[in-house]
Amino acid sequence: MTFVRHVKLWASWSCCAFGESSPNLEPLRHPPTAAVSQTRACIPDKILMRESHSTFWSYATDVQIVAQHIWHSLIPYPEYRIPVTRYTIHNVFFPLIPLLMMGYLVRRPNTHIHRIALMPIAIWATLRASFGYVWVDEFYSPYNFGQGLFGLASVGKAIEYACVKEGRLKVGESTVGQADLPAVDAVTAKKPSVASTLGVNKTLSPVDARVIRSPSGVTLQYLPLSNGGLSPTGELRTAVRSPSGVTLAFRDTTRPATPTSKKAAGKTISKTVRTSHPLRGLADALEVIGSVRGIGWEFGKGLYIAPETRPLDRRGFLLSYLQFFILSFLTLDFIESMLKVLPGFSDGYRGSIFFVQALPSFLSRNPTLSPFVKEYPTEILLVLRYLVSTGITFAIGFGVIAGFNMVYSLLTVFCVGVLGHNPESWAFPLFDHPWRATSLADFWGRRWHQTLRQTFFIFGGYPLQYILSAITGIFTSNEKTKKNIGRMGLVLGTFTASGLFHGFAIYPMGKGGISSTGIIYFASQGVFVLVERGWSYITGKKVGGVLGRLWAYSIVIIGLEPCSMYCFARFKWRTQLIPSQLTSGHQEALPLDSSSHLS
């Protein structure tokens, strides 16, 4: 059993490597019980006692014990987690190093074996940092949830980068590293961003695409280019045509380059020379890791992108997104403040969205409603309870949308205003009015954000698609049947992975444990999406219109209510999504008595 001893030593070293034995740390909670300590202390003795046995079950038990020991060295029990302090906070960011290395390698040819070797290290470091450290102060409880989300998403990235043999390709590439143009700039066909051209080709003259635009970004006129349809290097230029097909001008899409000149037949011919920069590798890694939706990448083909309605000139774009950031910030602050002072709902762990237990007195005093209240008290109470819970669920949903938009708009303002990115490189809104969805597929596939789409494909969609396609191939050779069954597996696997992702990400919060309600909810959404497809296949009619919207609302909201109740009970209502130093909403909220109830 030498292997068992080595594994246990490695697991113990992994705990020490992350600072569990640091003298600067204080115990997080009460010390472990004697039973737990005794169980842990006797694990080596149990293994040693079984060394003399050679039966299959004894070895299986040893493997189980070692697996549990390794698992809890990565994801410890809540009482063994390490508090995040100024002495340990660097360990929370340690997983970024192997993740950046994998991001760098996935954009370099012939690095598949290196990425496979680096994947276990990246997964180990990510799980250890995300689930082994905890923000003790309940004010920062959402940060624990954020650590869990980021950790699982990073594990998905590590698995993805290790599995793609040829690396991550941009649209139009046949080999990695072939295109210097950033992916989003390739989509918009504009001059690349200032901060995204480190170490790429440069020219003495700017890109010669002369387009005159109005302050709001509307194209007014195309100016003709010299040499007509040929660039200075002899390459064909892209023709700009009117709606009727008339050529108006030619667009020069020549990449910036550092030219070297040589004379041939009395002509000066420009030759592109690749330059280098110490930060170019870091820029490549950040670009591929930050491309969560896959815009401009091969893996993002088929992604729906919401149309941008804001002006695309730099000043108008920045002002528009700055206003959007302020609006999203105030919306999130208002929703959080109102929920915290709502009687019955904000009562710590005892709070519930179904807090209405008695009819308000004003209903009995109303001369019009009092006869109905006296005749149907139970039914009216039930209707009122679910109306209130549905309203709270809608508020939570709008709060989630506001939070995502707040972060995205702030990042947009920073990258466009400070780093010099092109506005069109950020003209990809996260949401497309989810409340306008006319079907469940429309809600999840187009209206809701797609930032974790690829992660869910990696965790569940692609594996289940492959498994079901392979099983179907045993019984039939019909490629269409295998493809259809595989698509069903893709849908079910993707939504199940989404449920597991959200269910396990909540583990770092509070006393540990996963959210089974979240797992069931998201997995069931995949089943209902397939029901929609089955309806369309049988009837020949697509789900849509008013009835489709009611269907989508009912499926999303009814299942979301118990998820919201469980999740926000774990948050503890003293927590703050927005620090009190940055908001006045908590002080300006209505002074409702949290001990009162609707009665």
Side-chain angles (χ1 to χ4, degrees):
M1 299 300 292
T2 305
F3 168 75
V4 174
R5 292 197 188 98
H6 287 173
V7 170
K8 288 181 62 58
L9 287 174
W10 171 85
S12 301
W13 171 82
S14 68
C15 298
C16 297
F18 273 85
E20 282 192 354
S21 59
S22 174
N24 299 318
L25 301 180
E26 297 180 359
L28 173 59
R29 290 185 176 86
H30 298 292
T33 61
V36 175
S37 302
Q38 184 178 0
T39 302
R40 288 200 163 196
C42 67
I43 285 179
D45 297 333
K46 289 182 180 179
I47 295 177
L48 292 175
M49 286 188 296
R50 295 193 189 95
E51 288 185 359
S52 59
H53 301 283
S54 59
T55 63
F56 169 80
W57 293 112
S58 65
Y59 280 105
T61 305
D62 291 341
V63 171
Q64 179 185 1
I65 293 174
V66 171
Q68 290 178 349
H69 194 76
I70 294 176
W71 176 257
H72 288 300
S73 70
L74 296 177
I75 304 179
Y77 292 105
E79 61 268 21
Y80 288 99
R81 289 180 293 181
I82 305 172
V84 176
T85 65
R86 60 179 179 173
Y87 303 105
T88 61
I89 193 170
H90 62 280
N91 291 321
V92 177
F93 300 99
F94 172 74
L96 292 176
I97 299 176
L99 185 62
L100 286 171
M101 292 177 64
M102 294 198 71
Y104 171 81
L105 292 174
V106 81
R107 288 294 297 158
R108 298 297 182 273
N110 304 320
T111 59
H112 188 214
I113 189 66
H114 304 84
R115 286 180 270 121
I116 293 177
L118 191 58
M119 179 184 68
I121 299 176
I123 294 177
W124 164 74
T126 300
L127 291 178
R128 184 64 190 162
S130 301
F131 294 90
Y133 291 82
V134 61
W135 297 83
V136 181
D137 193 334
E138 61 187 24
F139 280 103
Y140 305 112
S141 181
Y143 296 170
N144 295 322
F145 184 48
Q147 278 183 203
L149 292 173
F150 178 78
L152 293 178
S154 299
V155 168
K157 286 286 186 183
I159 296 174
E160 175 189 353
Y161 296 158
C163 291
V164 285
K165 184 176 181 180
E166 301 300 330
R168 271 288 165 236
L169 299 175
K170 297 178 182 179
V171 173
E173 281 187 330
S174 57
T175 57
V176 291
Q178 186 178 18
D180 289 328
L181 190 68
V184 290
D185 287 325
V187 173
T188 57
K190 293 294 178 182
K191 180 181 177 180
S193 309
V194 174
S196 60
T197 57
L198 294 175
V200 301
N201 304 331
K202 301 177 182 178
T203 57
L204 295 177
S205 59
V207 174
D208 212 4
R210 297 172 180 152
V211 181
I212 298 179
R213 300 180 184 273
S214 68
S216 61
V218 178
T219 300
L220 300 177
Q221 183 182 358
Y222 290 96
L223 295 181
L225 294 169
S226 58
N227 299 332
L230 294 178
S231 67
T233 59
E235 298 177 355
L236 291 177
R237 286 171 168 158
T238 302
V240 179
R241 305 182 189 276
S242 68
S244 61
V246 178
T247 300
L248 302 176
F250 292 95
R251 177 175 294 141
D252 190 352
T253 56
T254 305
R255 283 289 299 151
T258 302
T260 59
S261 298
K262 64 178 182 178
K263 297 205 173 176
K267 287 187 176 181
T268 300
I269 302 176
S270 296
K271 180 181 177 182
T272 301
V273 176
R274 185 177 179 86
T275 59
S276 61
H277 193 283
L279 298 180
R280 184 58 195 171
L282 178 62
D284 286 343
L286 291 176
E287 182 187 6
V288 69
I289 293 174
S291 301
V292 290
R293 289 188 284 176
I295 299 175
W297 298 81
E298 287 289 338
F299 73 88
K301 284 186 174 180
L303 173 72
Y304 171 78
I305 302 175
E308 180 61 88
T309 58
R310 295 176 176 82
L312 295 180
D313 65 292
R314 185 174 299 275
R315 183 175 180 275
F317 189 81
L318 285 173
L319 288 177
S320 178
Y321 261 99
L322 185 59
Q323 294 172 0
F324 190 49
F325 166 74
I326 296 174
L327 177 62
S328 301
F329 176 88
L330 294 177
T331 301
L332 178 61
D333 184 33
F334 176 79
I335 292 175
E336 181 189 5
S337 301
M338 291 300 101
L339 290 179
K340 284 186 175 181
V341 298
L342 191 63
F345 178 52
S346 58
D347 191 14
Y349 283 109
R350 296 173 295 175
S352 170
I353 62 175
F354 306 106
F355 65 87
V356 179
Q357 301 296 329
L359 290 173
S361 57
F362 71 85
L363 293 179
S364 301
R365 293 194 300 266
N366 188 291
T368 304
L369 300 177
S370 58
F372 296 97
V373 172
K374 292 179 181 179
E375 187 173 357
Y376 306 103
T378 305
E379 292 79 0
I380 294 178
L381 176 61
L382 188 64
V383 170
L384 180 61
R385 179 181 301 163
Y386 281 95
L387 283 176
V388 173
S389 65
T390 302
I392 293 175
T393 304
F394 266 101
I396 292 173
F398 278 105
V400 171
I401 295 174
F404 269 90
N405 285 332
M406 180 185 70
V407 175
Y408 184 76
S409 55
L410 181 62
L411 188 61
T412 299
V413 170
F414 175 77
C415 290
V416 175
V418 178
L419 298 184
H421 288 196
N422 288 324
E424 291 192 24
S425 298
W426 287 88
F428 308 110
L430 285 179
F431 297 91
D432 187 14
H433 308 92
W435 50 90
R436 296 181 183 176
T438 56
S439 67
L440 207 56
D442 182 38
F443 179 85
W444 291 116
R446 294 166 58 92
R447 304 289 182 177
W448 198 249
H449 75 88
Q450 305 294 306
T451 55
L452 296 170
R453 175 176 179 263
Q454 184 68 13
T455 301
F456 299 154
F457 282 166
I458 295 297
F459 278 147
Y462 292 150
L464 191 57
Q465 181 185 29
Y466 175 80
I467 292 172
L468 292 186
S469 297
I471 294 176
T472 306
I474 299 175
F475 301 98
T476 179
S477 59
N478 191 315
E479 292 296 329
K480 184 176 180 180
T481 301
K482 290 195 294 184
K483 186 176 181 180
N484 291 335
I485 297 297
R487 286 179 176 175
M488 293 174 60
L490 180 66
V491 173
L492 292 176
T494 300
F495 278 97
T496 302
S498 175
L500 293 171
F501 181 87
H502 290 90
F504 278 91
I506 204 172
Y507 178 86
M509 296 179 59
K511 300 179 180 179
I514 63 176
S515 171
S516 58
T517 56
I519 297 175
I520 295 173
Y521 169 72
F522 285 102
S524 66
Q525 297 297 300
V527 176
F528 288 120
V529 169
L530 292 181
V531 170
E532 276 190 2
R533 291 187 179 181
W535 166 266
S536 300
Y537 178 79
I538 294 173
T539 63
K541 299 178 181 179
K542 297 183 65 174
V543 178
V546 177
L547 293 179
R549 182 164 297 170
L550 291 176
W551 154 261
Y553 275 29
S554 60
I555 296 300
V556 172
I557 297 298
I558 291 176
L560 191 60
E561 291 192 3
C563 292
S564 302
M565 183 177 65
Y566 178 84
C567 180
F568 279 80
R570 293 283 293 271
F571 263 87
K572 285 188 178 182
W573 281 101
R574 285 190 61 205
T575 192
Q576 291 185 1
L577 296 175
I578 301 176
S580 57
Q581 297 86 349
L582 302 177
T583 175
S584 60
H586 304 306
Q587 290 79 18
E588 299 297 332
L590 296 176
L592 299 178
D593 183 8
S594 60
S595 63
S596 62
H597 298 273
L598 290 178
S599 58

